[in-house]
Amino acid sequence: MRIERHPSIHFITLGCAKNEVDTNRMRALIEASELFDIEEDVTKADLVIINTCSFLTEAVNEGIELTLELAQEKAENQINCPIVMAGCIPSRYGSELIPELPEVAAFVPVDKEDTIVQVCLEVLQIEYSGNLKQPKVARTVEAACAYIKISDGCDRFCSFCAIPYIRGRYYSRSPREILDESAYLVDQGVKELVLIGQDTGIWGSDLEPPLNLAWLLREVAKIARKVNGWVRVLYLQPEGMTQDLIETIRDTPEVCKYIDIPLQHVSEEILKRMNRRGNAREFLELIQHLRAEIPNITLRTTYMVGFPGETEEDFEELVSFAEEAQFDYHALFSYSPEEGTEACELPNQVEEDIKLERLQKMTDICDSLGHASAAQHIGKTYPVLVDGLEEEEDGLTTIIGRCSFQAPDSDGVVHIEQGSAVSGETVYVTITDSACYELFGDIVQREV
Ligand code: SF4
């Protein structure tokens, strides 16, 4: 191909925050190469990269359907725009996909994403023999809040989960890389750094010499301190809650007093079948301990219903636990059998209608707990980090932001009804109302 202008690339990201970070990294590599432009409008792009998720069969189907729809649309409009499929679907299914999806020009599994520039050159048949320009830090900044992946892969092999087969064995990113990335993001205007991984609590245990998450949080907090920013950590498995970590969250002002512990279930029998540890009593003790140690802590968890062998009694144990534990935020799933996982082969798979019934019951309970927790903020004043503007149903725009007890993309936002502020600014907001998980408020003071 002879090019008069840089070919343009459009990214589509499916799945979780970890995928967003991966897309961001590929985008930074593409931008730094100075060989392509990023195109925000998919209809105008010369090449589309779909970064896929394959955590659940549903997510795989979504990724494949989107790819086929896009391919069909391009064919109908006679647009030659190759599609590259990146991320978790190619990692999970490998070369099996090639005969199945001739619409895709190239597959880039997670561990090959650093080669994205070469892949795009090949797909677009561009000859380039120079050295590829690399970014100093492979990140682009799109908002006042940024996710930082501190590890990848997982060694836990929960029996329902395909992640260890998709993302591979657990490894911690080096502290140097994480701290350089944090410093870069803060220099570029980021105010909230969100540390993520499949299993953040064991960060550093595989490094030589070993380090730990509490140390890392304190180091990242020093960087955030320069801009009066926040640090948050997500996906802490219960075993990762060391006293050092609890005290670090409590005593480090920049660290959000927010803990996300995905428990999945509380019945000891179900947890054993899940290849996980713990029971309802231990988890309640942990929660009481967290609440006693960290005043005003906000807690989030994930529950899964309908795991193979879940009896009515197991389910009722989960219900009673949820009512007693009163997490502020919940993510709820019903079990879905994932090809290649151990749980797929377990006897006593729960029927779909029972799973749905249980999911609905848990949703009602958890929503009522969550909405009551959100309503408790009415009348209080908090620092709010402004994320930007959002178009409301009436067509008008409102400033939106988040309190430190609201993680991005999951816990609702604060809609600011009175006052002005810009993205990245932290302002004091008095909460005047709540609707489900959404909060509404007025700015009472700019610049915290
Ligand atoms: S901890 Fe369990 S659920 Fe989470 S990624 Fe690892 S194997 Fe999957």
Side-chain angles (χ1 to χ4, degrees), residues 305-306 312 334 349-361:
V305 299
E312 200 51 44
S334 74
Q349 298 278 331
V350 178
E351 285 171 24
E352 272 318 304
D353 55 343
I354 297 182
K355 278 193 220 169
L356 282 180
E357 224 173 82
R358 291 179 182 172
L359 183 63
Q360 190 55 55
K361 182 164 177 184

Side-chain angles (χ1 to χ4, degrees), residues 18-260:
K18 280 149 272 187
N19 253 18
E20 271 180 44
V21 175
D22 292 345
T23 296
N24 189 292
R25 181 173 173 80
M26 287 191 277
R27 187 179 164 129
L29 292 167
I30 296 271
E31 282 183 356
S33 74
E34 296 177 4
L35 297 169
F36 305 97
D37 291 331
I38 301 291
E39 173 57 66
E40 301 302 340
D41 181 349
V42 65
T43 62
K44 294 185 185 151
D46 296 309
L47 182 147
V48 176
I49 299 173
I50 308 181
N51 191 13
T52 57
C53 169
S54 65
F55 178 51
L56 299 175
T57 307
E58 216 176 286
V60 175
N61 293 341
E62 185 194 359
I64 292 176
E65 275 162 28
L66 181 76
T67 305
L68 296 178
E69 272 168 29
L70 201 60
Q72 193 183 349
E73 217 173 281
K74 298 280 177 188
E76 279 169 7
N77 293 310
Q78 299 185 327
I79 298 171
N80 178 21
C81 171
I83 297 172
V84 171
M85 182 183 273
C88 294
I89 294 184
S91 291
R92 186 165 175 187
Y93 297 101
S95 54
E96 270 176 52
L97 293 167
I98 298 171
E100 300 293 328
L101 283 173
E103 296 81 359
V104 174
F107 296 96
V108 186
V110 174
D111 61 354
K112 293 282 185 300
E113 285 176 355
D114 280 359
T115 65
I116 195 68
V117 175
Q118 291 91 328
V119 171
C120 294
L121 288 170
E122 275 168 36
V123 167
L124 292 170
Q125 297 175 4
I126 299 170
E127 281 178 26
Y128 181 78
S129 52
N131 284 335
L132 286 178
K133 289 188 188 158
Q134 299 284 338
K136 194 163 159 267
V137 175
R139 285 304 300 256
T140 61
V141 171
E142 284 139 29
C145 166
Y147 293 102
I148 301 180
K149 213 158 65 162
I150 62 169
S151 66
D152 210 340
C154 187
D155 280 349
R156 286 187 187 259
F157 290 91
C158 297
S159 63
F160 55 83
C161 180
I163 293 282
Y165 309 103
I166 302 167
R167 294 258 168 186
R169 303 306 296 256
Y170 178 88
Y171 71 90
S172 302
R173 284 182 75 205
S174 78
R176 190 66 280 142
E177 271 184 59
I178 299 168
L179 297 177
D180 283 353
E181 190 170 321
S182 305
Y184 173 80
L185 290 168
V186 161
D187 282 350
Q188 300 296 308
V190 169
K191 292 288 184 61
E192 179 176 349
L193 301 166
V194 185
L195 309 187
I196 55 170
Q198 319 294 345
D199 188 358
T200 46
I202 58 166
W203 179 84
S205 56
D206 57 334
L207 296 175
E208 200 44 63
L211 289 167
N212 61 51
L213 180 62
W215 175 86
L216 183 67
L217 264 182
R218 293 191 290 267
E219 292 303 307
V220 178
K222 284 182 201 163
I223 295 170
R225 194 166 302 154
K226 293 180 192 150
V227 292
N228 201 12
W230 298 347
V231 184
R232 184 188 308 276
V233 60
L234 299 180
Y235 317 126
L236 278 165
Q237 299 296 334
E239 300 87 3
M241 293 303 316
T242 62
Q243 189 58 24
D244 186 18
L245 181 59
I246 295 170
E247 287 171 14
T248 298
I249 294 173
R250 182 190 63 202
D251 300 336
T252 314
E254 295 75 21
V255 177
C256 298
K257 312 306 169 212
Y258 178 101
I259 295 180
D260 167 36

